[in-house]
Amino acid sequence: MVPALKKNNKFRSNFEANVCKELSKKLIPYEYETIKISYIIPESKHVYTPDVLLQNGIIIEIKGRFVKEDRKKHLLIKQQSPHLDIRFILQNPKSKLYKGSKTTYADWLDKNGFLWAAKTIPNKWINERKRNKNKIRNGFSTRNLRTKQGGRK
């Protein structure tokens, strides 16, 4: 086995290069990044607290900033709890996902099958027919529900 270097004699860091250089100086055979080891990141459970639960069972998420972590979270929730009707109120639907992106928050929500509105909850959503609350509330604590006026129920 001949001392090996990364493509174009490059390592991921100077520290790796220096350690491997020492091996080479001592004529110690080695291979650099020639094998792959699979592993699984263990499941981690998380809890999502929606901003608003309407009387008809529609869940409203109110977003000023809609960061990558939140987008990932909502895709997972949609995948794992498809019975939930989660909709978004965006402060600025034309905001880009990140600097230089052509995709807006609204584009992302449309692409991923989420309903959204700008700035306020549409009356149409508020007046929609009620859903099966037991199905919606499954897994959610309802202790903190507020009435339309904001008082505790």
Side-chain angles (χ1 to χ4, degrees):
M1 190 177 319
V2 181
L5 292 177
K6 186 87 170 146
K7 279 186 202 173
N8 303 324
N9 296 331
K10 291 188 179 180
F11 290 87
R12 291 182 185 263
S13 70
N14 286 334
F15 182 58
E16 286 182 357
N18 290 337
V19 170
C20 290
K21 189 176 180 180
E22 286 298 313
L23 290 173
S24 295
K25 279 184 184 177
K26 295 177 182 178
L27 301 175
I28 298 171
Y30 70 94
E31 296 178 26
Y32 180 77
E33 292 190 351
T34 59
I35 64 171
K36 305 261 185 228
I37 299 170
S38 297
Y39 67 98
I40 297 171
I41 297 173
E43 176 184 314
S44 61
K45 295 188 180 215
H46 299 269
V47 175
Y48 163 57
T49 304
D51 293 324
V52 175
L53 175 60
L54 297 177
Q55 290 289 317
N56 59 10
I58 295 172
I59 295 168
I60 304 292
E61 188 63 25
I62 303 164
K63 290 289 179 197
R65 293 183 60 230
F66 196 21
V67 296
K68 185 177 183 178
E69 293 76 24
D70 284 339
R71 296 191 305 268
K72 283 182 185 179
K73 171 179 70 179
H74 282 286
L75 288 176
L76 289 169
I77 292 166
K78 184 176 184 131
Q79 178 187 28
Q80 296 168 23
S81 300
H83 62 282
L84 297 178
D85 185 356
I86 301 175
R87 303 179 187 188
F88 292 80
I89 302 302
L90 301 174
Q91 185 175 19
N92 183 0
K94 294 180 182 179
S95 290
K96 305 293 185 188
L97 294 182
Y98 53 88
K99 190 176 183 176
S101 174
K102 292 181 180 179
T103 307
T104 65
Y105 292 173
D107 294 336
W108 187 91
L109 289 166
D110 288 340
K111 177 186 170 199
N112 289 287
F114 290 100
L115 294 177
W116 63 271
K119 307 222 184 229
T120 61
I121 300 172
N123 286 331
K124 182 180 179 181
W125 293 3
I126 295 167
N127 296 325
E128 275 188 39
R129 201 170 134 237
K130 291 187 178 187
R131 303 182 187 302
N132 181 343
K133 286 186 182 178
N134 290 333
K135 210 174 183 187
I136 298 297
R137 289 187 179 142
N138 185 22
F140 289 101
S141 167
T142 57
R143 285 184 321 201
N144 295 324
L145 283 181
R146 297 177 184 269
T147 64
K148 287 183 184 177
Q149 295 79 26
R152 296 216 185 271
K153 216 175 180 187

